[in-house]
Amino acid sequence: MPDDVLWGYEHFINPSLARTYRFMGLDHAEVTGEGALVVDDEGQSYLDLAGGYGVFAQGYRHPRIIAAAHQQLDQMPLSSRVLVSPPQVALAERLASLTPGDLTYSFFCNSGTEAVEAALKIARGSTGRRTIVATTGAFHGKTYGALSVSGRELYQAPFLPLVPDIRHVPYGDLTALAREMSEEVAAVIVEPIQGEGGIVVPPDEYLPGVRALCDQFGAAMIADEVQTGMGHTGWLFAVEYSQVVPDLLCLAKALGGGVMPIGAVVGRPWVWRIFDENPLIHTSTFGGNPLAARVALEALNVTVEERLPERARELGDWLISELRALRERYPEVLASVRGRGLMIGLEFHQAGFAGMVMAELFQRHILAVYTLNNERVIRLLPPLVVERAQLEEALMAFDQSLAAVNAVKDELA
Ligand SMILES: Cc1ncc(COP(=O)(O)O)c(C=O)c1O
């Protein structure tokens, strides 16, 4: 069966992607999943340390989330968009109560990139300004606006020209940001921890500093929590660690509970004035549909009631220290281990080392992937329901994989 599936990728989806899967030995087809495990067509289980790139915070097929989906599916999956829709309101209310400060209003869409598009439009529209300041290494998505504020040329070059009036400054650098600030700046967009940039944790004063500069110049602060949101960092929203309230908070990925695609941008009242004159100034046909909204509400409730952020913090502190101990054993392979909670990056001295560790882990039935804007970093974003015993097994697999790379590192270099 995997050969058929790869053949299908080759002929009907993306031939080059099919070659990449083959090259990496990823020739097994997924069939189902449960908790932190994915199961293939031969019944073999894999521990998913990549967590679907952050989608499966609550695990695969969480029973409560699946039940909510079934119930809404039987009742009313999509909205007439003429009558008002109760599940959308219930989700928006819950987001208003769980997000920090006076983040109050929600706009719903279907993905992370759409949440970023909405935030950029709301920021420009509500300030009447054009300039957006973003950071190098950032990843915000691949539609035009989100791509324009992302910070890697590789994904931009074939598609020029991008959205104008975007400036990039180094991530984590408040002095550089201050130099770009003026009364022409509509917004500063940042990830609280850069995900695809290589799990880059900024200095503690960074987010409060971004907030202060936005306040000083009347710009909106956009926190892109598409990857950091929903508990992975040890907080429901990563901005809580810094006690910062952004003007716009973007969510997607794990908001859908590993069951439905959904994106959201939550905003403070002053930016929502963009909708005053025309409530339909920005819309999405499927955004906030009842099925996705009901599932997202259950995903939020599960995350809070099962104390998944706290679990991420405890397991993460322990896992990071164990991985750092491995770094001591293989210092010529593994350069650093960093992160917060269960959002962890392992930086290798060379991209080839990261690639080989991924392949070695896969042989040991562990899924881990590198970050899009930094191929030297393997990122761990496991389901937060992962068992400590599963992580202990993963550590053994890491040890063996690092040893294998260590043995051939001179040939790989
Ligand atoms: C921080 C961040 N923003 C936006 C996106 C884009 O999300 P999507 O792929 O759902 O469009 C991602 C995806 O990885 C992300 O990590």
Side-chain angles (χ1 to χ4, degrees):
M1 147 118 122
D3 262 356
D4 291 353
V5 178
L6 277 177
W7 186 89
Y9 270 76
E10 201 160 346
H11 289 85
F12 302 113
I13 295 181
N14 186 330
S16 164
L17 184 63
R19 279 194 294 279
T20 308
Y21 274 121
R22 279 217 171 88
F23 175 72
M24 294 172 73
L26 298 173
D27 51 2
H28 296 243
E30 64 189 13
V31 172
T32 187
E34 191 170 344
L37 298 177
V38 186
V39 181
D40 75 7
D41 52 320
E42 288 169 8
Q44 304 187 86
S45 300
Y46 301 79
L47 178 63
D48 186 5
L49 292 188
Y53 294 78
V55 164
F56 294 100
Q58 305 83 1
Y60 285 82
R61 296 191 309 119
H62 191 291
R64 276 179 60 185
I65 304 175
I66 293 284
H70 279 301
Q71 185 250 320
Q72 192 62 46
L73 192 61
D74 287 341
Q75 189 183 330
M76 179 135 192
L78 293 183
S79 167
S80 70
R81 298 195 66 83
V82 180
L83 303 186
V84 292
S85 171
Q88 183 170 178
V89 175
L91 174 59
E93 268 184 36
R94 193 81 176 111
L95 280 170
S97 76
L98 288 172
T99 49
D102 61 345
L103 283 162
T104 309
Y105 295 103
S106 285
F107 171 83
F108 295 113
C109 48
N110 314 288
S111 65
T113 200
E114 284 174 77
V116 171
E117 294 294 329
L120 296 174
K121 284 179 71 181
I122 293 169
R124 276 189 171 171
S126 59
T127 58
R129 303 173 180 182
R130 294 176 60 149
T131 305
I132 311 271
V133 183
T135 60
T136 46
F139 184 78
H140 297 292
K142 289 184 179 164
T143 53
Y144 259 101
L147 181 66
S148 305
V149 289
S150 291
R152 191 164 181 214
E153 267 177 41
L154 174 72
Y155 292 102
Q156 298 174 327
F159 309 111
L160 300 177
L162 301 176
V163 173
D165 296 314
I166 313 273
R167 314 243 181 287
H168 280 91
V169 294
Y171 184 69
D173 183 342
L174 286 172
T175 313
L177 177 61
R179 271 200 297 272
E180 283 298 337
M181 293 305 285
S182 73
E183 270 156 27
E184 282 163 24
V185 174
V188 177
I189 179 164
V190 283
E191 293 159 85
I193 293 174
Q194 275 192 345
E196 301 305 324
I199 313 295
V200 185
V201 183
D204 278 357
E205 65 277 12
Y206 185 57
L207 293 184
V210 174
R211 178 67 276 175
L213 283 167
C214 286
D215 287 341
Q216 188 184 340
F217 291 94
M221 175 178 178
I222 304 174
D224 179 350
E225 293 236 28
V226 167
Q227 193 161 140
T228 53
M230 300 297 290
H232 271 110
T233 68
W235 303 84
L236 186 57
F237 305 108
V239 288
E240 292 175 87
Y241 171 86
S242 315
Q243 297 185 324
V244 159
V245 183
D247 299 296
L248 290 152
L249 180 93
C250 301
L251 295 170
K253 290 195 188 277
L255 181 62
V259 172
M260 283 299 293
I262 181 167
V265 54
V266 192
R268 297 172 86 171
W270 76 270
V271 287
W272 234 249
R273 64 188 176 208
I274 177 66
F275 292 103
D276 285 354
E277 273 184 28
N278 181 352
L280 305 180
I281 192 83
H282 189 65
T283 55
S284 157
T285 298
F286 290 126
N289 67 73
L291 182 55
R294 177 69 190 89
V295 159
L297 177 65
E298 200 62 23
L300 276 168
N301 289 342
V302 163
T303 307
V304 172
E305 287 162 31
E306 294 189 3
R307 298 172 55 80
L308 296 182
E310 290 81 353
R311 194 179 160 80
R313 208 178 306 165
E314 283 158 25
L315 283 174
D317 283 351
W318 162 75
L319 185 60
I320 289 175
S321 73
E322 293 291 317
L323 288 167
R324 286 193 173 140
L326 284 179
R327 193 189 71 90
E328 298 299 311
R329 295 186 54 194
Y330 305 102
E332 290 172 46
V333 178
L334 190 50
S336 82
V337 175
R338 55 187 179 241
R340 185 170 294 148
L342 283 174
M343 180 174 191
I344 301 172
L346 291 90
E347 178 153 0
F348 291 83
H349 287 293
Q350 297 189 24
F353 296 174
M356 185 172 163
V357 166
M358 269 168 57
E360 289 284 332
L361 287 172
F362 186 64
Q363 297 301 318
R364 293 169 176 81
H365 288 198
I366 289 181
L367 307 184
V369 287
Y370 57 73
T371 55
L372 208 58
N373 287 347
N374 188 347
E375 289 90 355
R376 285 193 297 132
V377 177
I378 288 184
R379 143 261 318 271
L380 310 183
L381 277 174
L384 307 182
V385 295
V386 66
E387 299 291 337
R388 192 181 160 116
Q390 290 175 313
L391 292 175
E392 274 162 4
E393 274 177 39
L395 280 166
M396 268 160 50
F398 263 109
D399 195 350
Q400 293 159 356
S401 304
L402 287 164
V405 175
N406 201 42
V408 295
K409 62 180 181 307
D410 296 334
E411 286 128 72
L412 284 175

